[in-house]
Amino acid sequence: MADRRTHPSLAAATLALCLILLPGCTRAGIVDPGGPPGGSSPVRLDWCGMLELPDRMPDGQPLGGLSALAFDQESHLLYMLSDRGRLYRARPHFDDQQQLTRLELLDSVPLLDHHGKPLEMPLADSESMALIKSHQGETELLIGFERQHRLQRFTLEGKPVGEALRPSALNGAQHNGSLEALVNHPEHGLIGGLEFASKGMDDSESRLFDLEGHQWRWQRSDDDSGLTAMAPLGDDLLMLERDFKIGRPLIISLRRAHPSNATPDGVVPGDTLARLVSDEGWRLDNFEGLARIAPQRYLMVSDDNFSWLQRSLLACFNVPESAR
C-alpha cells in the first residue's frame, strides 16, 4: 500500500517500534522473530529463520518496497516484486537444520511497457504476483497493479506479454487498496484478492475472484485488517492480513480460507491460524508478500516503503500438519 511511505504518523510509530519493542532492529542479516514462548496464537508456527535484507543490491540498485513473492520450484529462485515496478531475483539458502541462513541477491530488472521503457507511477504500482505457464510452456509472471487496476503478464525479464486484463471484479476497487493478493493454486487455479472492500461491500469484506468471472467474499479480521497476500495451503488458501492503525499495535494475521466450501451467496469460510502482535515481542514490519516454497514451508516479506525507519524482513515458517 504505497501511500503509507509518506505518512508521518506511520514513520513515528515505526520508529517507536524500533526503539522500544524491537531491540537490534537496525542490524542486517539473521534476526530473531521474537514473540512469546510457545509461538503464535492459536497455532504454534515452526519458525525456520528470519533475515533483515540490505537496502541495496550488489550492483547498488535500491532494494525495497517489496510487496509480493513468487518461488520457482524448478529453478529454486525467489522472485521479489517492488511496488515501484521492479523485479528482483534471489536464491534462499538453508543450513543442515533447514534454517534460512542467507538470501543470495542475484539481479533485478524494471517492469517495462510495450515500448520497452520502464513503467512509471501511477502505472508502476505493482502489488501482487504469481508464476504461470504460457501456452508454449514458458514460465511467466502474472502481476497485479493497483491505482490503475489491472493484471499483466510479463516475461521473467520484465517484458510485457499481451494486453492487460481488467476483470469486472476490479470495478469499484479502492484507489490504493485493491489488487494486493494473487495466487496460482494447483487445484483452484488463479485467484486474485482485493486488500479492502470494494464499493457496495461491507467494510470488513474483501473480494476474491478468478479469471473465469467467478467472485467470492472474504471476511477479514476487522475493518482495518487488509488482505495483502495469498498462497496455497493444501486444498485451501493461506491468507496474509496486516492490521496497522495509529495508536495500536501492529498485527499480522495468517488465516486459512476454504474456497471449496463457499456458501451459495459466495462467502468463503475461514479461520485464524496465527496472530502476531508487535507488543507481544514479535519482530514485525509491513508484511505484504507470501510464497510457498515446500508443502508446509513459506516465506513472508515486508515492504519497508523505502523508509530508513522500516525494514525489509524475510521470514521463514512452517505450518504444522495438524493445522492444514
Side-chain angles (χ1 to χ4, degrees):
M1 191 171 179
D3 276 348
R4 287 181 176 152
R5 66 172 63 98
T6 58
H7 200 303
S9 299
L10 173 61
T14 306
L15 179 59
L17 284 178
C18 268
L19 295 178
I20 299 173
L21 299 175
L22 306 179
C25 69
T26 58
R27 292 200 316 263
I30 300 174
V31 294
D32 187 341
S40 55
S41 174
V43 170
R44 177 173 178 173
L45 296 179
D46 176 19
W47 291 92
C48 42
M50 181 181 283
L51 303 176
E52 182 182 315
L53 304 184
D55 58 8
R56 295 277 171 179
M57 293 289 287
D59 63 0
Q61 175 70 36
L63 173 64
L66 301 177
S67 296
L69 296 177
F71 185 73
D72 189 342
Q73 297 287 349
E74 297 176 359
S75 63
H76 296 281
L77 291 178
L78 181 67
Y79 292 89
M80 306 187 295
L81 181 67
S82 169
D83 58 14
R84 302 285 182 89
R86 194 164 192 92
L87 181 66
Y88 302 90
R89 196 171 61 123
R91 179 177 289 109
H93 291 267
F94 297 84
D95 63 16
D96 293 341
Q97 286 74 46
Q98 293 304 301
Q99 293 290 304
L100 178 66
T101 57
R102 183 168 65 95
L103 185 68
E104 182 184 0
L105 299 171
L106 300 175
D107 50 32
S108 68
V109 293
L111 298 180
L112 305 177
D113 63 19
H114 285 282
H115 302 289
K117 296 181 179 180
L119 292 176
E120 297 181 355
M121 287 297 188
L123 287 171
D125 193 359
S126 45
E127 298 283 354
S128 54
M129 174 173 62
L131 282 168
I132 60 173
K133 290 289 186 180
S134 70
H135 294 304
Q136 294 74 33
E138 298 292 329
T139 301
E140 295 179 342
L141 292 165
L142 183 65
I143 293 178
F145 295 82
E146 65 178 11
R147 299 175 192 257
Q148 295 199 14
H149 314 309
R150 67 198 189 281
L151 288 161
Q152 176 68 59
R153 291 161 51 210
F154 287 88
T155 69
L156 299 181
E157 292 74 39
K159 299 177 181 178
V161 179
E163 297 301 317
L165 304 175
R166 292 178 172 83
S168 60
L170 300 180
N171 295 341
Q174 295 189 29
H175 175 68
N176 192 32
S178 63
L179 195 44
E180 289 268 349
L182 189 62
V183 61
N184 191 0
H185 193 284
E187 182 173 319
H188 303 295
L190 284 163
I191 297 178
L194 306 189
E195 182 180 11
F196 294 116
S198 295
K199 187 176 181 179
M201 300 179 70
D202 291 342
D203 286 345
S204 61
E205 291 182 335
S206 290
R207 176 174 293 139
L208 307 180
F209 65 95
D210 64 16
L211 298 186
E212 307 300 321
H214 303 106
Q215 298 184 23
W216 303 272
R217 289 181 292 148
W218 169 249
Q219 186 71 38
R220 306 190 317 277
S221 302
D222 56 52
D223 293 359
D224 297 315
S225 184
L227 174 64
T228 61
M230 301 184 292
L233 180 64
D235 294 336
D236 297 326
L237 296 174
L238 183 62
M239 318 290 273
L240 171 61
E241 294 183 7
R242 171 206 55 213
D243 183 349
F244 179 85
K245 181 123 179 122
I246 300 298
R248 286 197 338 211
L250 172 63
I251 302 173
I252 300 297
S253 297
L254 291 163
R255 307 182 67 211
R256 174 175 47 200
H258 309 277
S260 297
N261 298 332
T263 64
D265 58 348
V267 176
V268 174
D271 54 274
T272 297
L273 295 180
R275 189 171 180 267
L276 315 176
V277 186
S278 60
D279 66 357
E280 294 178 357
W282 292 102
R283 189 179 300 275
L284 303 178
D285 211 300
N286 184 31
F287 282 104
E288 291 196 7
L290 182 69
R292 185 177 70 170
I293 63 173
Q296 294 176 242
R297 176 163 289 202
Y298 298 84
L299 293 176
M300 179 171 66
V301 75
S302 65
D303 173 4
D304 69 350
N305 290 313
F306 288 96
S307 168
W308 67 271
L309 294 171
Q310 294 180 253
R311 295 293 176 264
S312 297
L313 298 177
L314 183 68
C316 176
F317 63 89
N318 296 307
V319 176
E321 184 69 32
S322 60
R324 297 179 65 202

